[in-house]
Structure formats: C-alpha cells, structure tokens
C-alpha cells in the first residue's frame, strides 16, 4: 500500500454488491430495489459476500427543495430514501446511492456541483453507506479538486461512506484517486458484449501497482446475466476477480437463472477477488488469441492464474512454473477454481484446454 493512499478500513477487500444501472437504467423504483435486496438474501448472494445495494442515476426529482436539498422522485420512491435504506439495513445489507460531480447527472437530473457538503450530509442522514460520484457535465473542472471536495464533504458528514469515483479513467485517476476514494473507474462504460469485456481488460494491463486494500481500480460493474454466453459470463467474472475488481452485479437478481446465480456466487472465484492480500493480477503474456494473468494470493507462494482464450477455437494454454517463480523441478499443487476440484500435482508447466471466450482459473501453490 502506497504512502498517502486511503487505509480507513472501509473497503479492505473490493466492495461487492448490486447496482441498478446496467440492467435497469433510469427505470428504477423502490419496489425494484426492495425486491432486489430480498433476492440478494434469498439467492445466497449476501452470504457469498454481496453487501451493497446501490441505486444509480435516475432516483432524484427534477428539482431540489427550497433549502437546496436533494429530493427523491416522489413517484418512483414514495416512501423516501431513508425508509428504503432502513429496509435494506434490516436485511443485513448496506445502501448506496449515486450523484454526479458536475452541473447535471449523465441523464440530466440535478447533480452536486456546489452542493457537495449539503448532499453528503443528506446522504449521511438517510443512512447511505456508499456513494458513486459520476463525471458528466463537468466542463473545465478539475477531477482531482472535485473529488477532494467530495472526500472532505463525506468526512464532514461523519458517517463511514465508501466513495466510488466514476471519472472513467480520463485523467489517470489511479495516480491520484487512491488518496480520496475507495475505488475509481479506469474505463468507459461496460456493455454486455464480449468485445467490451475484452477491450476493458486490455486497459487494466498496467494498473496493478495502483490497487490495494481500501483503494481499488474499478473496471466497471458486472454484465453477468445480461446476455453474454455462459462461457463469456464466466470469463468476465473470473477475470474481474483476478483484477481485484469491485464485484457489482448488474443483472435482475429477482429473475436470474441458476447458471447465472452459480457464476456470481462461485465461492472459490469470489475468494480470489476477496483475497486478503489485495494484489491485483498482472498479465504476463497476451498474444491476441490467449492471455495469461497471474495474481499473488495470501499465504506462502500461492497464485491464482487465469488462462483466457480470446479466440474462436478451443486451444491449449499454458503457464510455465518458472513464470511464477518456482524452481525448475519443483512440484506444485494445482486446483481448478471453477470446478472446485484438484487437478493434481505438476512440474515444469501447467496446461489447460480452454474453450473459446472462456477462461480457466487455477490456484497454483507450493508444497
Ligand atoms: C455514466 C456512468 C455509468 C452510469 C451512467 C448513469 O455513464 O459511467 O456507470 O452511472 O453514467 O447515467
């Protein structure tokens, strides 16, 4: 962890939860959010580690009240935000909300420029545990100064609130955001398409050194269950876990298939994401058709390795154990984290046959 980075214990491992945007856009209301929170409990997602229920853009009324305070849309959220936060807390979950640092949100709703302290105070009164601050309509503003103001405003509101910085990676936030927020977007918005996942992945390649406990790179929220194939969903989820990415589900939790549920709750993949050491994976090889990503895990000489097939034909992918720092004749233990089964002992190299748009995620550890 670098000097000066946040280390307030609010996000010791990457935050996990659900956010309304990817699936629902601005079509959100309190019924949806309540049902989603209940589904998070019933589906086992809460127990798998998902905690935050976050409403994104579109929750606010078109105008502030006469004091200048934010007001929730009275049709979408007739019971108000504080009551909703209470319901979510009663389920053992945490509540998150969205605003924008500029003149308006990306969807044209009121935003927080000039209201940072007021809005942080109101969020704290409502019981907000997580705030995502977007970057639309910010012409001429300095992201560093604006997010510093947000960090101060949250501090002044005297409630522990995770700050999610959403500046899309334009001003290299990995170089400055770690002192201000707990996570920062590194890229434009994800889409539920393989090409989007692959493009975002390529943008993470040099960022591993900036991430760690309480300050995480955010390659955007999950599209698992939003239309990609099962293999693509697994590859996306597995690679996000390798990246120590915040795992914010973006699908309809009330109506997900068992297959989607099993991806989002895969215990040994989630455990990689949440590994206590908090070291983001780095890519040691990528030739366009296949990638090898490695991540050091807590414990003695243990690694997560992802072998990603980007091509359209099945292929054998391999990692040399010397690439992980093992000695030439050393015997290691290999486990398949999707199958949750031991592969056996290996020397020299580990080889896996990987289907197109799919990724094997292995744990390779010394004896
Ligand atoms: C931006 C953000 C998205 C989402 C939308 C809401 O595009 O990057 O994650 O919050 O705004 O309008």
């Amino acid at each position: 962890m670098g000097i000066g980075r946040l280390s307030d214990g609010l996000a010791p491992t990457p935050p996990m939860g659900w956010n309304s945007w990817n699936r629902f856009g601005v079509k959100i209301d309190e019924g949806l959010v309540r049902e989603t929170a209940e589904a998070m409990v019933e589906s086992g997602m809460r127990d798998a580690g998902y905690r935050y229920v976050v409403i994104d853009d579109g929750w606010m009324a078109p105008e502030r009240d006469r004091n200048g305070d934010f007001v929730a849309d009275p049709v979408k959220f007739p019971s108000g935000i504080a009551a909703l936060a209470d319901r979510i807390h009663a389920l053992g979950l945490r509540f998150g909300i969205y605003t924008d640092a500029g003149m308006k949100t990306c969807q044209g709703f009121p935003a927080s420029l000039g209201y940072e302290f007021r809005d942080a105070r109101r969020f704290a009164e409502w019981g907000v545990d997580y705030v995502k601050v977007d970057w639309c309509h910010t012409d001429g503003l300095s992201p560093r100064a604006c997010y510093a103001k947000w960090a101060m405003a949250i501090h002044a509101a005297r409630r522990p609130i995770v700050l999610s910085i959403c500046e899309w990676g334009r001003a290299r936030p990995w170089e400055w955001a770690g002192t201000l927020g707990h996570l920062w977007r590194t890229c434009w918005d994800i889409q539920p398409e393989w090409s989007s996942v692959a493009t975002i992945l390529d943008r993470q390649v040099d960022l591993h050194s900036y991430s760690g406990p309480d300050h995480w790179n955010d390659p955007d929220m999950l599209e698992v269950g939003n239309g990609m194939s099962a293999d693509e969903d697994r590859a996306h989820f597995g690679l996000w876990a390798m990246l120590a990415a915040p795992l914010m589900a973006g699908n309809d939790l009330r109506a997900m298939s068992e297959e989607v549920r099993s991806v989002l709750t895969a215990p040994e993949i989630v455990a990689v994401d949440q590994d206590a050491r908090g070291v983001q994976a780095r890519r040691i090889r990528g030739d366009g058709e296949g990638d090898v990503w490695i991540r050091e895990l807590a414990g003695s000489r243990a690694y997560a390795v992802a072998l990603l097939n980007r091509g359209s034909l099945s292929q054998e992918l391999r990692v040399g154990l010397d690439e992980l720092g093992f000695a030439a004749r050393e015997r290691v233990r290999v486990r398949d984290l999707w199958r949750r089964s031991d592969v056996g002992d290996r020397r020299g190299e580990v080889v896996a046959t990987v289907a197109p748009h799919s990724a094997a995620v292995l744990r390779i550890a010394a004896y």
Side-chain angles (χ1 to χ4, degrees):
M1 197 182 313
I3 300 218
R5 305 258 171 82
L6 276 186
S7 59
D8 58 10
L10 276 185
T13 59
M16 295 173 66
W18 173 89
N19 174 299
S20 53
W21 180 255
N22 282 357
R23 176 69 176 73
F24 296 99
V26 297
K27 292 198 190 118
I28 53 175
D29 59 40
E30 61 185 43
L32 166 70
V33 180
R34 269 203 321 263
E35 288 165 21
T36 298
E38 283 157 12
M40 202 180 249
V41 176
E42 280 155 23
S43 64
M45 284 183 66
R46 179 188 65 184
D47 294 342
Y50 293 83
R51 282 283 178 285
Y52 293 96
V53 176
V54 183
I55 51 173
D56 206 278
D57 206 348
W59 64 267
M60 45 299 250
E63 304 289 342
R64 290 171 178 271
D65 70 12
R66 69 164 71 111
N67 299 324
D69 275 321
F70 257 142
V71 188
D73 182 309
V75 175
K76 293 172 169 175
F77 295 93
S79 313
I81 301 295
L84 185 59
D86 285 350
R87 292 282 295 254
I88 287 169
H89 291 150
L91 293 169
L93 297 167
R94 297 178 191 150
F95 177 66
I97 207 164
Y98 164 100
T99 185
D100 182 289
M103 306 280 290
K104 283 180 183 164
T105 74
C106 299
Q107 301 302 314
F109 290 92
S112 291
L113 184 62
Y115 294 90
E116 294 84 358
F117 283 77
R118 179 177 286 276
D119 291 348
R121 193 167 62 230
R122 172 61 29 127
F123 291 162
E125 285 162 8
W126 283 345
V128 166
D129 306 296
Y130 179 113
V131 61
K132 170 176 170 182
V133 181
D134 211 344
W135 192 243
C136 279
H137 304 287
T138 54
D139 286 353
L141 296 174
S142 145
R144 203 170 172 158
C146 287
Y147 287 108
K149 197 161 181 192
W150 262 100
M152 283 189 280
I154 289 172
H155 185 72
R158 303 178 72 83
R159 181 179 168 88
I161 296 178
V162 169
L163 174 57
S164 162
I165 292 175
C166 182
E167 177 272 357
W168 318 308
R170 291 202 316 183
R172 301 178 65 81
W174 42 88
E175 290 177 352
W176 49 265
T179 60
L180 305 174
H182 302 89
L183 58 156
W184 54 85
R185 281 274 296 277
T186 58
C187 55
W188 298 112
D189 291 8
I190 195 170
Q191 305 295 326
E193 288 157 20
W194 179 251
S195 59
S196 168
V197 168
T199 304
I200 288 179
L201 198 53
D202 289 334
R203 286 195 54 105
Q204 313 311 310
V205 165
D206 294 318
L207 302 185
H208 49 89
S209 66
Y210 298 101
S211 176
D214 293 319
H215 52 275
W216 307 101
N217 287 308
D218 175 9
D220 206 0
M221 306 176 291
L222 298 169
E223 292 283 17
V224 174
N226 282 344
M228 289 188 291
S229 73
D231 273 341
E232 290 170 344
D233 272 357
R234 271 192 292 271
H236 165 37
F237 192 73
L239 267 303
W240 263 232
M242 292 294 291
L243 293 171
L247 298 179
M248 303 301 282
N251 58 315
D252 186 347
L253 302 190
R254 305 166 306 173
M256 63 183 158
S257 66
E258 179 50 30
E259 186 163 55
V260 166
R261 197 195 72 85
S262 73
V263 172
L264 291 169
T265 58
E268 299 189 18
I269 304 294
V270 170
V272 170
D273 184 72
Q274 298 288 301
D275 181 76
R277 196 149 164 192
V279 176
Q280 175 175 328
R282 61 184 199 276
R283 183 160 76 184
I284 57 167
R285 258 176 305 120
D287 62 7
E289 288 287 292
D291 279 13
V292 181
W293 293 78
I294 67 171
R295 174 170 179 182
E296 285 168 45
L297 299 174
S300 165
R301 300 169 69 218
Y303 300 86
V305 175
L307 303 171
L308 168 68
N309 182 354
R310 293 172 175 257
S312 49
L313 298 172
S314 188
Q315 54 173 323
E316 277 196 342
L317 294 170
R318 59 193 71 230
V319 61
L321 293 176
D322 57 334
E323 296 180 283
L324 300 174
F326 292 107
R329 298 288 306 146
E330 198 174 345
R331 193 161 57 106
V332 299
R333 273 191 274 238
V334 182
R335 184 169 171 85
D336 182 319
L337 301 185
W338 277 117
R339 297 204 173 105
R340 296 164 70 186
S341 65
D342 291 333
V343 175
D345 295 350
R346 293 287 185 276
R347 282 195 171 93
E349 67 174 3
V350 174
V351 185
T353 303
V354 187
H357 294 189
S358 161
V361 183
L362 307 170
R363 185 175 195 279
I364 301 181
Y367 262 91

